[in-house]
């Protein structure tokens, strides 16, 4: 603990190795078998269960919980994975409080849902620890499909296509597959390198080759080239760009993109050596802002503030995520927007302006406040980048109809890069899977 | 607080809760602690004849079935009668009884079906100062193969004969404990009465196999790869026991014969139900073996509070109160018509009532797109299945249709008069329609 929490500047080693280890341990520790049995017993096996409707991948939740009750966690895992091949990651990262668990009849009745996410994790962990892959490929079809982007959407699509007998090549610009599962999701949600373990397990189906460090665009792959070489193309490139802050002093050292900061933390070999500011201010109100803020705090920042330009209820991050942040000591500040980053050579302070909504439009009130800030993390949204020009957009995302069909024949898109659906891991999986089914139907027609 | 003091066959105890003859009452140490915990009486673990005691298995002797959260619902055992020498048990009984004169202490006995054996043991039991004896005609395993226990309990003539010997050689109350492993419980009860028994107690355990180990293909509890049927008890057997108790209570031949109720009693409410069906007191085993002696506090306070609410001042006040309402199916009022009704404020929209009624009953519950569940009176036969499967107690109720209204299912007017199957036109044996 060379520096402690109060040393100014962006420094590594603010906490002891024990503190770091505790801080980055599992957010929701896995159930022991007895806990799983007790939790599973609470499920009522509802008819046409509302939780299933709320799950973007339509997992048969009452069935898999009943399989756990009956001592068949492997069977439960198969029920989950047959709908959602990344059921292991989803069990860890789904905001269940706004999905399946929000509508669980026991949440509605008692304010205490069946803990579906943790039960899902219990079942999938059992299967994945056994190392078995329960799915087999159908007879080879001779069709070849290119998937661009190895995030949840791309992986889910590739797995389903391979299962249906097609050959799949996945290209990804990053050195490792996984997309935001690997570079984005909070470390305390996917401990023990789970993202890579899951990718390895998924690829056991066979018929999928993964080529990393290969990008679409920028002199690399072209859409026309892919269309020529493959029978179909699935684009799952996520949101690779980041929005600009448009505040003075944004270019000063000490100001970073939150997604870069998060990716660095996820990729760090030794978190003890990972630098963080003493006073961290995160700009934004989504899951990324919360993750960046919590990570800063867990790394040992003395003060961490999330500055959001609207009120708490407008925040993209759920109540659960907000509470998580405050429970870790993060301060949430509402109705403020960044005006200027101050500092001689490096950032030392941030000036925020209060906001108010006048006639439906958000405006600065003129009143400002200055906070010490040796590190400023910008989390004001990611945006689509590197889309081939041929594709029509809907707003700022790729326009799709049905199960991910784009405006270009033979090209599908899904996940964060495609219009529609929330930007969530589970939604990306659903869209990848459904696109695969549509591609298969089209190729067989 | 209602006074729970109970007089059963002239034996008083501070409450109607006795521990049944079983491991909880197998020795002085246990019984003293049970009395300190507040139990009103004990039936000592069954004594055998003089000589080398029986031996128990040295592997597991219990099996179980569970409800949610591993709540024990049924227990089975392959234990025998006491495996300690007769002399030791008798000495301990005498000591405990003299230290706890206000508590009931009953000796349970199982010796061979020979007059000499009973003639020999009874005076020795009498010397301990025990308040009475209970004849174990119920044990379904181990002892029955030796011509004792349920082997006797299944033959009414033997019951009558042995009971008579006991009444001859012993002058305090004689309770005959009945086995449920018999088709008609009224027969052994009547035999006991004919032999002069002061009371019957029931039920003993039910022949059972609780589970099979699917790896070893052995029934559980497994002893070196083999299992044997054992005696089933615990909450799961309560309905069977209560039915048997009620049969004895309402049979004209045995009506009025004192009954000590046993079988799955776990809470004050269970006890009150047995008493209402004609029991003068109750005996408990599995609940104590599951949770320890302390449960008697819940039983005593719960029963007392309920009695206060109902204005009963003595347990005697409600013994058998439910017996007149136990009847045969053919006498049930067919003009009593009810419909299920769902309280929408309590409904949590799980849809279980719908699945149950739609798949397995009368398609009498509708489900709307926004998950509102409603009873279709035109279809509802009031079977009660939805009430039974609904996870929210009191959410679905059975509402009686008032006489004069029309049952939308049959289109018929609800009649005020009582009418049962014996009078029904569809009954080929109906009394000539008047
Ligand atoms: C910090 C953060 C935290 C989050 N936390 C959660 C959470 O807790 N729960 C939750 O459900 N969701 C969370 N999300 C959202 C979730 O991660 C995304 O919705 C999900 O990963 C989208 O999957 P995807 O496959 O569409 O895209 P991505 O996961 O973004 O994957 C896209 C892939 O495409 C590759 N790629 C991009 N451009 C190119 C190109 N031109 N050529 C080749 N490859 C390219 C990228 O390298 C990447 O591997 C979080 C997001 C962030 C940023
Ligand atoms: C409502 C109901 C009605 C039944 N009717 C009959 C019947 O008419 N004939 C019969 O042989 N068994 C009947 N049974 C008994 C069942 O066939 C079965 O033996 C019993 O329920 C035990 O099995 P289970 O508890 O595993 O369901 C009935 C059971 C129920 C619950
Ligand atoms: S995938 Fe996510 S939303 Fe669906 S059941 Fe699992 S945890 Fe819930
Ligand atoms: S809503 Fe809740 S109780 Fe009902 S099936 Fe889903 S998890 Fe089980
Ligand atoms: S079973 Fe009960 S709680 Fe569930 S839908 Fe039916 S009435 Fe409502």
């Amino acid at each position: 603990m060379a520096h402690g929490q109060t040393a100014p500047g962006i420094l590594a080693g603010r906490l002891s190795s024990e503190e770091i280890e505790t801080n980055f341990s599992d957010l929701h520790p896995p159930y022991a078998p007895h806990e799983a049995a007790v939790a599973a017993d609470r499920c009522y096996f509802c008819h046409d269960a509302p939780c299933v409707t709320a799950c973007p991948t339509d997992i048969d939740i009452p069935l898999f919980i009943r399989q756990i009750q009956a001592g068949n966690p492997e069977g439960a895992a198969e029920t989950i994975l047959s709908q959602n091949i990344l059921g292991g990651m989803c069990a860890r990262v789904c905001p269940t409080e706004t999905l399946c668990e929000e509508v669980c009849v026991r949440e509605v009745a008692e304010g205490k849902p069946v803990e579906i996410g943790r039960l899902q994790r219990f079942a999938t962990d059992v299967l994945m620890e056994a190392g078995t892959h329960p799915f087999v490929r159908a007879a080879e079809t001779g069709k070849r499909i290119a998937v661009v982007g190895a995030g949840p959407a791309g992986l889910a699509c590739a797995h389903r296509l391979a299962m249906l007998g097609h050959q799949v090549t996945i290209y990804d610009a990053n050195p490792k597959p996984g997309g935001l599962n690997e570079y984005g999701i909070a470390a305390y949600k996917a401990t023990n390198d789970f993202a890579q373990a899951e990718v390895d397990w998924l690829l056991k189906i066979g018929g999928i080759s993964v080529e990393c460090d290969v990008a679409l665009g920028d002199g690399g792959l072209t859409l026309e080239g892919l269309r020529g070489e493959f029978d179909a193309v699935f684009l799952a490139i996520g949101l690779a760009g980041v929005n600009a802050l448009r505040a003075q002093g944004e270019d000063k050292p000490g100001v970073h993109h939150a997604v870069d900061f998060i990716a660095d933390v996820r990729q760090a070999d030794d978190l003890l050596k990972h630098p963080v500011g003493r006073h961290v201010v995160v700009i934004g109100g989504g899951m990324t802002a919360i993750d960046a803020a919590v990570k800063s705090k867990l790394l040992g920042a003395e003060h961490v503030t999330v500055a959001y330009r609207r009120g708490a209820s407008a925040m993209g991050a759920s109540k659960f995520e907000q509470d998580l942040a405050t429970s870790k000591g993060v301060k949430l500040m509402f109705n403020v927007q960044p005006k200027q980053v101050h500092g001689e050579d490096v950032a030392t302070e941030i000036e925020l302006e209060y906001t108010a909504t006048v006639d439906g439009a958000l405006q600065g009130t003129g009143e400002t406040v200055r906070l010490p800030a040796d590190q400023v993390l910008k989390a004001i949204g990611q945006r689509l980048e590197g889309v081939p020009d041929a594709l029509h957009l809907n707003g700022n995302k790729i326009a799709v109809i049905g199960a991910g069909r784009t405006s270009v024949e033979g090209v599908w898109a899904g996940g964060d890069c495609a219009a529609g659906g929330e930007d969530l891991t589970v939604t990306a999986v659903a869209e990848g899977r459904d696109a695969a089914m549509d591609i298969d139907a089209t190729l067989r027609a | 607080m209602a006074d729970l003091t109970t007089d059963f066959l002239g034996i008083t105890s501070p409450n109607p809760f006795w521990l049944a003859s079983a491991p909880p009452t197998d020795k002085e140490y246990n019984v003293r602690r049970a009395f300190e915990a507040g139990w009103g009486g004990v039936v000592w673990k069954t004594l055998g004849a003089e000589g080398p005691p029986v031996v128990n298995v040295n592997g597991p002797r219990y099996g179980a079935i569970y409800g949610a959260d591993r709540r024990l619902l049924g227990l089975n055992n392959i234990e025998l009668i006491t495996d300690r020498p007769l002399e030791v048990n008798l000495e301990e009984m005498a000591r405990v009884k003299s230290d706890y004169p206000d508590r009931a202490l009953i000796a349970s006995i199982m010796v061979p079906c020979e007059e000499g054996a009973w003639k020999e043991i009874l005076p020795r039991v009498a010397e301990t100062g025990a308040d009475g004896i209970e004849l174990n005609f119920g044990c379904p395993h181990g002892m029955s193969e030796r011509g004792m226990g349920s082997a006797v309990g299944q033959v009414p003539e033997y019951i009558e004969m042995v009971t008579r010997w006991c009444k001859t050689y012993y002058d305090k109350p004689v309770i005959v404990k009945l086995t449920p492993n018999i088709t008609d419980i009224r027969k052994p009860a009547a035999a006991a009465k004919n032999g002069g028994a002061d009371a019957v107690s029931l039920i003993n355990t039910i022949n059972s196999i609780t589970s099979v180990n699917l790896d070893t293909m052995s029934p559980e509890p497994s002893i070196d790869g083999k299992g044997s049927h054992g005696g089933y008890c615990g909450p799961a057997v309560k309905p069977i026991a209560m039915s048997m108790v009620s049969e004895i209570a309402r049979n004209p031949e045995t009506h009025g014969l004192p009954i000590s109720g046993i079988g799955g009693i776990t809470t004050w409410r269970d006890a009150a139900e047995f008493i209402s069906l004609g029991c003068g007191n109750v005996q408990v085993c599995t609940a104590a073996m599951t949770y320890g002696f302390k449960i008697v506090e819940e039983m005593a306070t719960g029963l007392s509070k309920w009695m206060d609410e109902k204005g009963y001042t003595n347990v005697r006040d409600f013994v058998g109160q439910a017996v007149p309402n136990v009847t045969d199916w053919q006498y049930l009022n067919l003009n009593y018509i009810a419909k299920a009704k769902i309280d929408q404020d309590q409904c949590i929209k799980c849809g279980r009532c719908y699945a149950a009624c739609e798949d397995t009953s009368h398609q009498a519950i509708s489900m709307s797109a926004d998950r509102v569940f409603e009873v279709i009176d035109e279809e509802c036969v009031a079977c009660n299945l939805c009430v039974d499967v609904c996870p929210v107690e009191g959410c679905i109720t059975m509402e009686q249709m008032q006489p004069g209204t029309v049952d939308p299912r049959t289109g018929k007017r609800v009649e005020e008069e009582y009418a049962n199957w014996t009078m029904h036109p569809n009954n080929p044996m109906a009394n000539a329609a008047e």
Side-chain angles (χ1 to χ4, degrees):
Chain A
M1 202 160 67
H3 296 294
Q5 291 189 264
T6 52
I10 303 178
L11 301 169
R14 290 188 182 273
L15 299 177
S16 69
S17 58
E18 292 78 30
E19 286 167 312
I20 289 282
E21 192 175 326
T22 315
N23 285 353
F24 285 86
S25 63
D26 241 313
L27 178 61
H28 300 291
Y31 277 140
H34 173 69
E35 291 177 292
V38 174
D41 276 341
R42 294 188 66 239
C43 175
Y44 288 143
F45 200 70
C46 295
H47 173 75
D48 190 9
C51 54
V52 180
T53 314
C55 169
T57 54
D58 293 304
I59 292 174
D60 191 339
I61 294 163
L63 176 61
F64 97 69
I65 295 180
R66 197 169 178 81
Q67 289 171 306
I68 293 175
Q69 281 172 2
N72 181 11
E74 297 88 351
E78 245 183 275
T79 301
I80 295 161
L81 297 163
S82 63
Q83 283 296 104
N84 178 338
I85 197 64
L86 297 185
M89 183 59 86
C90 286
R92 291 161 166 80
V93 306
C94 271
T96 52
E97 65 281 2
T98 63
L99 296 170
C100 52
E101 291 176 18
E102 179 180 41
V103 300
C104 170
V105 299
R106 301 204 73 161
E107 166 64 24
V108 179
E110 310 158 37
K112 198 170 177 300
V114 174
E115 292 195 301
I116 301 166
R118 289 180 79 186
L119 285 164
Q120 178 170 323
R121 170 158 182 197
F122 174 76
T124 49
D125 276 1
V126 168
L127 186 125
M128 289 179 66
E129 273 158 27
T132 48
H133 190 97
F135 305 105
V136 288
R137 296 188 64 203
E140 212 45 84
T141 60
K143 302 286 185 192
R144 299 176 61 245
I145 295 127
V147 170
V148 186
L155 288 169
C157 182
H159 184 273
R160 183 54 63 103
L161 289 168
M163 213 167 111
L164 294 166
H166 309 295
Q167 282 287 343
V168 184
T169 305
I170 309 183
Y171 299 102
D172 198 292
N174 269 326
K176 289 193 215 168
L180 288 171
N181 283 0
E182 174 61 33
Y183 294 96
I185 293 296
Y188 43 82
K189 291 183 185 168
T191 54
N192 294 329
D193 213 5
F194 181 77
Q196 285 312 299
E198 189 177 41
V199 172
D200 293 344
W201 171 86
L202 178 146
L203 294 175
K204 283 189 187 166
I205 182 88
I208 304 173
S209 64
V210 183
E211 301 201 17
C212 284
D213 293 314
V214 182
L216 175 69
D218 274 344
L221 304 168
T222 64
L223 187 59
E224 276 320 299
L226 291 174
R227 289 183 71 203
E229 196 186 333
F230 293 89
D231 297 295
V233 179
F234 180 63
L235 297 178
I237 55 177
L239 302 174
V242 281
N243 292 331
L245 200 56
R246 289 190 216 94
Q248 283 179 350
E250 194 183 345
D251 49 355
K252 283 200 197 326
V255 182
H256 308 279
H257 288 299
V259 284
D260 295 339
F261 171 78
I262 288 168
D264 288 348
V265 173
R266 279 297 302 274
Q267 298 305 311
D269 290 329
D270 183 358
L271 286 171
L272 268 184
K273 299 197 183 114
H274 203 82
V276 70
R278 174 187 180 186
H279 300 287
V280 178
V281 176
V282 184
I283 311 296
M287 197 115 76
T288 308
I290 294 290
D291 278 1
V294 171
K295 280 204 182 83
S296 305
K297 193 71 197 155
L298 299 182
L299 281 170
E302 187 189 7
H303 295 291
V304 180
T305 308
V306 171
Y308 178 51
R309 62 200 178 112
R310 298 179 192 274
S313 56
M315 224 179 185
S318 68
K319 177 82 171 66
F320 173 84
E321 298 276 342
Q322 294 179 35
D323 290 348
L324 172 72
T326 50
S327 77
K328 301 290 179 195
V330 171
K331 186 180 168 201
L332 303 181
M333 237 178 129
F334 298 104
N335 304 312
V336 285
Q337 64 188 13
K339 196 169 155 73
Q340 189 170 355
V341 178
H342 298 277
E344 288 288 304
D345 311 312
V346 298
T348 54
E349 273 192 331
I350 187 164
E351 187 175 355
L352 303 167
E353 182 182 14
Y354 283 93
T355 63
T357 305
V358 182
D359 298 332
L362 194 74
Q363 296 179 356
T365 62
E367 184 192 350
T368 63
V369 58
R370 285 165 77 131
L371 300 181
D374 34 32
Q375 189 165 28
V376 176
L377 298 173
K378 300 181 286 183
I380 48 173
Q382 289 85 254
R383 60 188 162 73
L384 192 58
E385 200 173 79
V387 190
D389 295 334
L391 295 167
H392 292 176
L393 297 188
N394 174 356
N396 42 20
K397 293 198 170 188
I398 300 172
V400 290
I401 50 166
R405 292 182 190 208
T406 69
S407 55
V408 176
E409 209 194 321
V411 181
W412 280 256
D416 285 0
C417 69
E422 279 187 274
D423 287 352
L424 293 173
T425 310
V426 64
T427 315
V429 172
E431 291 173 5
R433 176 198 70 193
D434 294 347
M437 297 306 290
D438 196 45
I439 292 169
D440 177 72
T442 307
L443 296 183
R444 286 179 199 268
Chain B
M1 288 282 272
D3 179 14
L4 295 182
T5 304
T6 310
D7 176 339
F8 187 69
L9 316 177
I11 305 164
T12 53
S13 55
N15 60 50
F17 308 109
W18 292 5
L19 282 167
S21 176
T25 63
D26 196 12
K27 50 176 150 19
E28 181 175 356
Y29 177 83
N30 292 9
V31 174
R32 282 185 185 276
R33 294 185 63 246
F35 284 159
E36 290 305 320
W39 290 88
V42 302
V43 182
W44 203 274
K45 172 80 179 169
T46 303
L47 309 172
E50 180 91 88
V54 302
V55 292
N56 273 302
V57 294
N58 296 302
R61 31 180 114 156
Y62 305 121
I65 65 157
Y66 298 102
D69 202 358
R70 242 177 114 82
R71 178 180 284 245
L72 191 109
L73 296 183
L75 184 73
N76 123 320
N77 80 85
I78 52 169
E79 214 183 65
L80 305 181
I81 61 172
T82 184
D83 54 11
R84 306 184 317 138
L86 177 65
E87 193 54 41
V88 174
N89 278 306
L90 294 175
E91 280 168 14
E92 291 183 0
M93 286 163 64
R95 264 202 305 273
V96 174
K97 181 63 206 179
S98 78
D99 286 353
Y100 293 91
D102 66 322
R103 310 300 170 96
L105 194 153
I106 307 295
S108 168
I109 309 174
M110 181 194 290
V111 293
C113 209
E114 299 150 14
E115 189 168 358
W118 292 91
K119 192 175 172 182
E120 185 178 305
I121 195 167
L122 289 170
R124 302 188 58 191
V125 168
E127 275 172 29
T128 64
D131 299 296
I133 59 172
E134 185 179 82
L135 313 187
N136 181 350
F137 290 155
C139 185
H141 46 263
M143 305 313 292
S144 49
E145 290 86 330
R146 306 173 200 198
M148 294 181 269
S150 62
V152 179
Q154 286 162 345
V155 186
E157 294 75 22
Y158 290 173
I159 294 180
E160 185 173 336
M161 177 177 75
V162 176
T163 307
R164 190 162 291 126
W165 292 335
C166 292
K167 287 305 289 180
T168 309
Y169 301 115
Y170 184 70
D171 53 15
K172 284 189 183 165
V174 175
I175 305 168
V176 174
K177 185 166 182 178
L178 303 180
T179 175
N181 297 311
I182 186 159
T183 314
D184 185 352
I185 197 69
R186 293 173 299 185
K187 298 279 179 339
K193 189 179 177 196
N194 292 340
D198 297 278
V200 289
S201 59
L202 70 160
I203 59 173
N204 208 312
T205 57
I206 305 174
N207 285 344
S208 61
I209 289 178
T210 42
S211 58
V212 174
N213 182 319
L214 293 177
D215 295 322
T216 63
M217 286 294 166
S218 165
E220 302 278 13
S222 173
I223 308 287
D224 195 21
K226 302 263 189 271
S228 171
H229 71 79
Y232 198 45
C233 50
V237 310
K238 176 188 153 197
I240 299 166
M242 292 211 300
S243 170
M244 291 184 162
V245 163
S246 74
E247 288 291 291
I248 295 170
R250 70 194 191 93
N251 179 15
E253 226 182 309
T254 46
H255 182 74
L257 178 67
I259 304 171
S260 184
I262 318 169
I265 294 163
T266 309
T267 67
W268 71 266
R269 181 181 291 275
D270 300 328
E273 289 175 13
F274 270 86
I275 294 169
S276 76
L277 286 171
C279 298
N281 76 357
V282 295
Q283 298 184 29
V284 175
C285 170
T286 305
M289 290 183 71
T290 310
Y291 303 108
F293 290 142
K294 190 177 162 64
I295 55 162
V296 72
E297 289 175 33
E298 179 282 319
M299 293 178 167
T301 53
L303 185 65
S304 173
K305 172 176 166 289
W306 172 78
M307 285 171 60
D308 287 346
E309 277 167 20
K310 295 287 174 192
Y312 297 125
T313 53
N314 191 293
V315 170
R316 183 189 324 116
D317 296 350
F318 66 99
V319 170
Q321 290 283 319
V323 176
N325 295 327
V326 183
T327 183
D328 291 336
W329 187 91
Q330 64 206 18
Y331 301 121
L332 296 174
N333 184 3
L334 294 174
N335 282 341
Y336 174 87
I337 297 172
K339 297 286 170 191
K341 190 162 183 295
I342 297 175
D343 177 350
Q344 297 299 336
D345 292 337
Q346 288 195 60
C347 172
I348 62 169
K349 305 190 187 306
C350 68
R352 269 163 58 159
C353 55
Y354 174 83
C357 192
E358 187 69 14
D359 288 359
T360 72
S361 291
H362 299 86
Q363 297 75 48
I365 293 180
S366 67
M367 173 179 175
S368 71
D370 57 345
R371 301 187 73 80
V372 175
F373 296 90
E374 276 167 323
V375 175
I376 306 164
D377 286 350
E378 287 73 13
E379 304 296 336
C380 176
V381 302
C383 73
N384 214 41
L385 182 64
C386 55
V387 174
D388 293 335
V389 303
C390 176
V392 182
E393 192 180 348
C395 173
I396 312 182
T397 47
M398 279 296 158
E399 304 291 327
Q400 180 181 3
M401 290 194 68
Q402 288 312 307
T405 55
V406 173
D407 178 353
R409 183 174 70 88
T410 57
K412 292 196 182 126
R413 196 169 159 273
V414 178
E415 301 296 339
E416 192 150 12
E417 309 75 55
Y418 162 90
N420 66 42
W421 175 243
T422 63
M423 318 160 176
H424 198 276
N426 289 13
N427 182 357
M429 284 149 57
N431 305 340
E434 286 105 272

